[in-house]
Amino acid sequence: MTLSTALIFSIVFIIFFIFIMGTIAERMLKISAKNSGQNPKQYGILPNDLSSIFGRNISKPSYIPSNEDFFSFDKGFDIKLMGEASTEHKIESVHSATYAIKPKDFIGMMPIPKVVVEEGDSIKSGDILFYDKSRPEIKYAAPISGEMVRIQRGEKRSINEVVMLADKDIEYRQYDLPDLNSVNRVDLVTFLLDSGAWPFIRQRPFDIVADFNVVPKSIFVTTFDSAPLAPGFNLTVQGKETEFQKGLQVLAKLTNGDVHLGMDARGEKPADAFMNASGVVKHWFKGQHPAGNVGIHIHHVDPINPGETVWHLDVHGVLVLGTLFEKGIFDTERVVAITGYEIAKPRFVRAHQGICLEKLVMEVQFQEERNTTDKEGKPVNISRKAVRLISGDPLTGKEITSTGYLGFFDDQITTVEEGDYYELFGWLLPRKGHPTQNRTFPGGFFPSTVYKADTQQNGEHRAFVVSGEYESVLPMDIYPQYLLRAIQAYDFEKMEGLGILELGEEDVALCEYVCTSKHPVQKTLREGLNMLMEQG
Amino acid sequence: MGPFDVEFWKKLQPPKEKQFLHGLYDGLFTLFFKPNEVTHGGTHIKGPMDLKRLMIHVVLALTLCYVLGAYNIGHQHFLALGEHTGIFDALHLKLVIGLVSLLPIFIVSNLVGLAIEFYFAAKKGHAIEEGYLVTGALIPLIMPPDIPLWMLTLSIIFAVFLGKEAFGGTGMNVINIALLARAFIFFAYPTEISGDAPWVAAIDFENGLTDYSFIHTMFNGFFSWMDWSVFVGGQPLLESFTGATPLVLARTGGWEAVTEVYSPAAMFIGGIPGCIGETSKLAILVGIGILLVTRVASWRIMFSMALGVILTGMLFNAIGANMGSYSAYMSVPWYNHFLMGGLLFALAFMATDPVTACGTNTGKWIYGFLIGFFGMVIRVMNPAYAEGWMLAILLMNVFAPTIDFYVVDANISRRLKRVKAKV
């Protein structure tokens, strides 16, 4: 027997052996699942169909009408974390004693906005709190009614929070509503700017509150969020179908182009409000995170070229516009997901923008007392931050204190354990699992495993070594690594050429997550965007 | 608890003002412990992959090359004598010869390289970077077993200074450092890395006798007590021994000349003379398996390079019949090229170095294919030296940024075209 025949035989034998072992293990798993009263279909070690072996599942769900666009991405990565909000619990309406609007939620705003109310003034929902000194036309409104109590200042007298004391029952500001059918665009924009609803409209490029002087070539609304632990918008829109449709009508007035709806083709059929939305162009997206990001939708449907502007809103923003025109009130109520492993009952609640989160996360131990010894061996008591509270999702959210407030655009709060531990040979044999697509970890082969999150940086900052890593999680025709290099080199022309105008921080957050060199991708991108903004 | 306890390290920590010591401490400490740094500013959670883990997986993929390489050094030694020619004969003697040759090369390569790395890290106030882990593991495998250590030292100093630190350290180098070290020896001391002599260890070639050092014979007492065969100094070489590698044979006599001396099975398992790591194709295939399954190395580069080799090999087969002095080598069937020399090793571990290869996926296809093409051309159409991968990869390392430039530029012009299409 020659070497080559022996080799072929041994390979065939090994494949056959693996196949038999796999089949037996699969059968036994199903039998034991059946015996313990579980659905055996959910258990198994073998892939169910050919396409999942190759990690792709591009089949089109049946609920998509054949005349609508369908995009399927195989790039991306779903970060599966414990503590997902469950719909089993009833969705309660929650209120807090104080509410706050944080000027720092708005990218590009001057650090000291002009606050137009004084301490002690009584406010109605929709009354103007402050405006940006560089763009005084854009007014920022109060989400509830009550009394203005204080301005919380930070470094160099910059304003961190404008805090209000809430009434029990919300009083709403009276609006002089224009008639949607006859109003011209200029009057509508003026009304929206003055109403306080304008900041919900954001724009690409730069991912800032929209510039009212520009007529956008199109407006995008994403109806789903693929970020880790993020709530779907299906809940928030329930019972507000007419408001949603009204909001879309308002948007249609603001652009000469189309209003595009980014629809979720990943699983269950989306809510009726989205399915039945009219006057819009629907596009279906399937794939892992960031498939739900509006930046991805814009890139594939109507990409931004230099000099062009696209506006975008989330579903909450559309609802605020819709409620304003349907009922004449400024209502920022939304469904907020309270998520995280440390939360006893991860759930959804109905809350207004800027709610104080203290009562919602009461059961979480944010500080931990620990007895250790100091250098001389004396026992000391150390207080350590054990859990981090984030307004938003764990990739793009902002860290807040346990008595902090929900962010302007956020519909999610997340707790994450602080990962300030040393781990022996942790870079080689980690005992703590982290979600990863990287195949040097066993978890890379089992993408459906759910992990407990922590904030360990998992390594030190290094120069770029690995290539192709960012591209594998960004379903866009963009080379992020070369873009970052162009930003670091202050090469404006190349930045624009490589598509920086199409990107927002949320789109590259996943690049930062998977980065082997632990590069601060979002920060670098924002620096580049700021440079371009200053250039005009 | 010693080094496995954080408190132990905390007590050792030198003050921050002593930059060099602190850098050294930091480098060692992070080898034992993942630091307790938490995320700030960007994403709140981060993936578990880091550079140390990436590097160590390349080293893991190399381990079997080390084992079979060490064995083969001893095996070649006894083949030259005509003793213990069976694969499993006198394993203990073969391993001793192998390790006595390999270990000093490994130690010197890592000591010299890391010393330079530490020096620059301290000087620049950087953390010590782990890039040299892989380079230090690759260099011994691409050296002949009989390489003088001073030569190795010189080559590593040259490569690390000029190839890496001059460009700014790990991740910044333009050309592959391990190959640059080998290229240094190749041009400065050509007789040490080509020809027939350097592939067999522990032989005094001037007199044609075995030449065991004190370290070899030290084991004799133990082996004779165990009633095993021992080292006998001053034995003559076989008269028929030439030490010619398959490549040299193929150049002069084609594939027939190769198979007269070496069987394809021996070439596959690794019983042929050559650089330490390149001889065993089996070990390299296992390494390729590890790299591909873990996706540490780019399959695009490996695949396109293999494609380049195959197509060029087929082309040579087709036109080789009347090419004069080259026709013997050109007529070697294309698939047999994979069994000879360093092709597979270069394909698995050298071409796929992510820092010096192309960074774009399209670029990787072009880069790999051109390495395959140029490597074959240099290997076959070369009157002096019968191998081509080192030079082909160094050449393409230099061109990789250019390829990337055009790929990225195409992306920019796609974006510009979008504007024009509208107007």
Side-chain angles (χ1 to χ4, degrees):
Chain A
M1 194 160 64
T2 61
L3 181 80
S4 49
T5 19
L7 260 181
I8 291 168
F9 268 112
S10 54
I11 289 170
V12 169
F13 175 77
I14 290 170
I15 291 173
F16 194 64
F17 180 75
I18 292 173
F19 177 74
I20 298 230
M21 293 308 284
T23 321
I24 293 174
E26 167 103 358
R27 287 278 122 208
M28 286 171 71
L29 199 65
K30 284 201 190 301
I31 289 169
S32 57
K34 206 176 178 183
N35 287 345
S36 53
Q38 305 279 346
N39 181 7
K41 270 192 182 164
Q42 290 174 353
Y43 293 84
I45 57 163
L46 294 181
N48 296 327
D49 57 281
L50 209 64
S51 55
S52 68
I53 295 179
F54 299 108
R56 303 189 64 174
N57 189 3
I58 52 168
S59 64
K60 190 171 164 180
S62 54
Y63 49 76
I64 302 180
S66 56
N67 58 347
E68 287 172 7
D69 281 350
F70 172 67
F71 299 89
S72 177
F73 306 126
D74 53 355
K75 292 175 173 181
F77 177 58
D78 277 341
I79 299 173
K80 300 239 166 67
L81 298 178
M82 286 183 191
E84 195 175 356
S86 154
T87 44
E88 282 169 21
H89 310 290
K90 200 174 146 271
I91 303 178
E92 298 174 89
S93 284
V94 291
H95 296 281
S96 65
T98 54
Y99 282 76
I101 296 293
K102 298 180 272 189
K104 288 189 175 149
D105 284 344
F106 308 100
I107 298 160
M109 186 185 241
M110 305 280 276
I112 312 179
K114 174 73 187 161
V115 182
V116 295
V117 286
E118 285 181 16
E119 282 173 30
D121 284 2
S122 72
I123 309 166
K124 286 179 186 157
S125 173
D127 278 351
I128 303 308
L129 289 180
F130 58 84
Y131 59 81
D132 185 2
K133 283 173 190 166
S134 61
R135 293 197 286 178
E137 293 84 353
I138 303 176
K139 312 258 183 358
Y140 297 82
I144 42 93
S145 64
E147 188 187 319
M148 158 83 191
V149 280
R150 67 169 186 276
I151 296 171
Q152 194 72 40
R153 287 183 191 271
E155 270 176 22
K156 295 183 187 165
R157 292 184 50 77
S158 67
I159 295 176
N160 284 348
E161 289 157 0
V162 178
V163 186
M164 294 153 284
L165 205 61
D167 289 340
K168 266 214 164 128
D169 297 305
I170 300 176
E171 281 180 56
Y172 295 98
R173 170 184 164 192
Q174 294 291 317
Y175 287 100
D176 191 10
L177 282 177
D179 178 18
L180 252 194
N181 295 324
S182 57
V183 68
N184 65 19
R185 189 179 179 275
V186 180
D187 291 343
L188 182 62
V189 169
T190 318
F191 171 75
L192 286 175
L193 283 168
D194 191 55
S195 71
W198 187 266
F200 286 96
I201 306 172
R202 283 176 285 178
Q203 70 163 56
R204 297 280 170 99
F206 309 127
D207 205 15
I208 55 175
V209 172
D211 183 355
F212 49 89
N213 292 320
V214 176
V215 181
K217 65 169 179 167
S218 54
I219 298 180
F220 279 76
V221 177
T222 174
T223 65
F224 68 112
D225 192 347
S226 51
L229 296 177
F233 290 125
N234 290 346
L235 283 173
T236 209
V237 85
Q238 251 172 35
K240 292 186 177 174
E241 285 80 5
T242 43
E243 283 91 340
F244 186 73
Q245 185 56 44
K246 195 80 172 185
L248 295 178
Q249 256 173 308
V250 178
L251 292 181
K253 287 254 159 193
L254 293 173
T255 173
N256 299 332
D258 289 323
V259 177
H260 299 279
L261 216 53
M263 304 284 281
D264 184 2
R266 296 174 303 164
E268 306 252 302
K269 194 174 159 186
D272 288 344
F274 303 141
M275 292 295 290
N276 303 334
S278 60
V280 292
V281 188
K282 286 178 211 152
H283 309 272
W284 296 82
F285 296 89
K286 182 175 183 178
Q288 306 198 61
H289 186 58
N293 282 7
V294 74
I296 313 293
H297 301 174
I298 297 172
H299 178 84
H300 287 277
V301 175
D302 192 7
I304 301 167
N305 301 310
E308 293 178 340
T309 306
V310 166
W311 287 358
H312 66 90
L313 294 89
D314 53 18
V315 171
H316 306 309
V318 180
L319 286 177
V320 167
L321 294 183
T323 325
L324 186 62
F325 279 86
E326 187 73 20
K327 295 183 178 165
I329 56 170
F330 184 77
D331 180 18
T332 60
E333 194 189 57
R334 56 182 74 170
V335 170
V336 177
I338 300 170
T339 60
Y341 177 81
E342 289 75 17
I343 304 280
K345 241 179 17 180
R347 62 196 182 276
F348 295 100
V349 295
R350 245 175 239 292
H352 285 81
Q353 193 183 53
I355 188 172
C356 178
L357 300 169
E358 192 176 6
K359 277 193 181 154
L360 296 177
V361 293
M362 279 225 303
E363 77 269 22
V364 183
Q365 290 285 331
F366 288 101
Q367 295 288 328
E368 185 185 65
E369 301 290 323
R370 204 191 251 174
N371 295 314
T372 65
T373 51
D374 63 5
K375 272 191 177 169
E376 282 125 41
K378 288 179 196 155
V380 282
N381 225 347
I382 294 177
S383 172
R384 161 188 173 262
K385 192 165 99 194
V387 175
R388 185 182 293 191
L389 182 63
I390 300 161
S391 172
D393 67 75
L395 289 180
T396 57
K398 283 200 173 79
E399 181 178 353
I400 51 175
T401 61
S402 59
T403 55
Y405 300 91
L406 186 69
F408 190 91
F409 299 104
D410 296 335
D411 57 357
Q412 176 186 9
I413 58 171
T414 316
T415 57
V416 179
E417 190 191 279
E418 286 289 352
D420 56 341
Y421 53 85
Y422 294 97
E423 199 176 3
L424 184 64
F425 299 125
W427 49 275
L428 181 60
L429 308 160
R431 275 163 294 159
K432 293 232 176 188
H434 292 87
T436 181
Q437 86 303 5
N438 195 293
R439 296 276 203 90
T440 65
F441 296 91
F445 295 92
F446 302 101
S448 54
T449 322
V450 181
Y451 296 88
K452 182 184 159 196
D454 69 40
T455 65
Q456 165 67 261
Q457 177 150 317
N458 291 320
E460 296 154 281
H461 186 196
R462 293 284 186 262
F464 289 126
V465 168
V466 184
S467 58
E469 205 174 23
Y470 294 168
E471 286 88 339
S472 74
V473 292
L474 185 67
M476 293 166 109
D477 182 22
I478 278 178
Y479 291 104
Q481 208 167 355
Y482 291 88
L483 175 60
L484 294 182
R485 285 185 177 153
I487 295 171
Q488 285 169 340
Y490 305 110
D491 188 341
F492 295 109
E493 209 169 305
K494 207 160 193 182
M495 277 190 240
E496 270 193 26
L498 286 170
I500 191 173
L501 299 178
E502 301 179 35
L503 287 172
E505 279 134 306
E506 56 174 13
D507 301 326
V508 296
L510 205 57
C511 300
E512 186 170 328
Y513 179 84
V514 300
C515 183
T516 298
S517 300
K518 310 294 170 195
H519 193 89
V521 182
Q522 297 184 81
K523 192 173 150 226
T524 313
L525 180 77
R526 180 45 65 188
E527 279 164 9
L529 287 171
N530 284 345
M531 278 189 274
L532 279 181
M533 247 195 303
E534 277 163 28
Q535 293 281 311
Chain B
M1 284 291 283
F4 301 118
D5 185 21
V6 179
E7 301 299 321
F8 168 84
W9 285 90
K10 284 273 167 66
K11 279 175 198 148
L12 286 184
Q13 185 170 15
K16 281 234 160 74
E17 301 83 61
K18 291 183 182 169
Q19 223 179 45
F20 183 76
L21 268 183
H22 195 272
L24 194 65
Y25 164 83
D26 198 57
L28 280 177
F29 177 70
T30 53
L31 263 189
F32 279 90
F33 286 95
K34 194 160 80 174
N36 68 341
E37 214 171 313
V38 294
T39 56
H40 45 81
T43 57
H44 296 278
I45 51 174
K46 280 200 190 243
M49 189 62 184
D50 75 343
L51 208 52
K52 280 197 178 67
R53 191 176 175 87
L54 181 85
M55 298 290 177
I56 211 73
H57 272 80
V58 183
V59 177
L60 282 179
L62 286 168
T63 40
L64 199 60
C65 294
Y66 266 97
V67 174
L68 291 183
Y71 159 80
N72 186 41
I73 297 172
H75 188 60
Q76 289 309 309
H77 173 86
F78 285 107
L79 281 184
L81 298 179
E83 276 181 18
H84 310 305
T85 49
I87 289 181
F88 297 108
D89 295 347
L91 270 181
H92 57 293
L93 294 183
K94 290 175 182 172
L95 269 184
V96 166
I97 293 181
L99 290 179
V100 168
S101 295
L102 183 55
L103 278 181
I105 298 179
F106 183 78
I107 292 168
V108 165
S109 123
N110 277 289
L111 271 187
V112 175
L114 285 177
I116 301 172
E117 185 87 48
F118 281 20
Y119 172 73
F120 273 96
K123 204 173 163 220
K124 289 189 285 190
H126 282 185
I128 292 167
E129 297 184 334
E130 37 284 286
Y132 196 77
L133 272 178
V134 169
T135 315
L138 281 173
I139 286 179
L141 293 180
I142 54 171
M143 293 294 171
D146 221 16
I147 185 89
L149 293 181
W150 63 268
M151 225 177 257
L152 183 70
T153 311
L154 268 187
S155 72
I156 292 171
I157 291 175
F158 173 84
V160 176
F161 262 102
L162 228 73
K164 184 175 178 184
E165 303 301 346
F167 289 95
T170 301
M172 310 289 184
N173 46 313
V174 176
I175 48 180
N176 192 313
I177 300 145
L179 285 180
L180 188 62
R182 195 178 192 276
F184 177 80
I185 298 182
F186 176 78
F187 286 112
Y189 311 99
T191 50
E192 285 298 330
I193 206 156
S194 57
D196 300 342
W199 313 112
V200 186
I203 301 273
D204 174 7
F205 278 98
E206 272 174 29
N207 304 314
L209 299 173
T210 56
D211 179 21
Y212 296 120
S213 71
F214 163 71
I215 304 170
H216 292 108
T217 46
M218 198 171 68
F219 288 95
N220 272 350
F222 175 69
F223 290 155
S224 59
W225 179 66
M226 292 291 286
D227 208 15
W228 290 346
S229 43
V230 295
F231 292 113
V232 182
Q235 290 189 88
L237 291 177
L238 278 184
E239 275 185 15
S240 58
F241 170 76
T242 62
T245 62
L247 297 166
V248 175
L249 295 171
R251 193 176 68 211
T252 49
W255 184 243
E256 292 73 29
V258 179
T259 42
E260 269 173 32
V261 186
Y262 306 106
S263 72
M267 289 200 256
F268 180 74
I269 294 165
I272 52 168
C275 292
I276 297 169
E278 74 177 22
T279 50
S280 172
K281 309 299 175 285
L282 178 69
I284 298 167
L285 283 179
V286 171
I288 290 180
I290 294 175
L291 292 182
L292 286 184
V293 168
T294 58
R295 291 184 184 159
V296 163
S298 161
W299 63 269
R300 288 183 182 87
I301 295 178
M302 289 198 204
F303 185 75
S304 62
M305 178 171 161
L307 205 66
V309 171
I310 291 170
L311 290 182
T312 319
M314 283 175 165
L315 179 75
F316 284 163
N317 286 173
I319 62 167
N322 43 12
M323 291 298 279
S325 62
Y326 297 127
S327 62
Y329 208 164
M330 283 174 119
S331 306
V332 172
W334 57 268
Y335 42 87
N336 286 327
H337 275 283
F338 286 93
L339 282 176
M340 297 188 294
L343 166 54
L344 267 187
F345 192 84
L347 181 142
F349 298 106
M350 291 302 175
T352 55
D353 171 12
V355 176
T356 54
C358 279
T360 55
N361 286 343
T362 322
K364 281 173 187 166
W365 285 103
I366 302 168
Y367 171 83
F369 186 86
L370 286 181
I371 289 180
F373 171 74
F374 282 122
M376 284 297 279
V377 171
I378 300 173
R379 174 186 251 195
V380 174
M381 307 182 72
N382 183 346
Y385 180 63
E387 186 59 299
W389 306 108
M390 174 183 76
L391 297 171
I393 293 175
L394 287 176
L395 177 74
M396 289 316 296
N397 279 171
V398 175
F399 280 109
T402 317
I403 298 172
D404 273 342
F405 174 83
Y406 283 108
V407 174
V408 170
D409 207 50
N411 183 278
I412 294 175
S413 35
R414 268 203 297 284
R415 210 157 263 121
L416 287 178
K417 262 186 205 149
R418 217 161 62 189
V419 185
K420 276 187 194 146
K422 278 201 144 181
V423 177

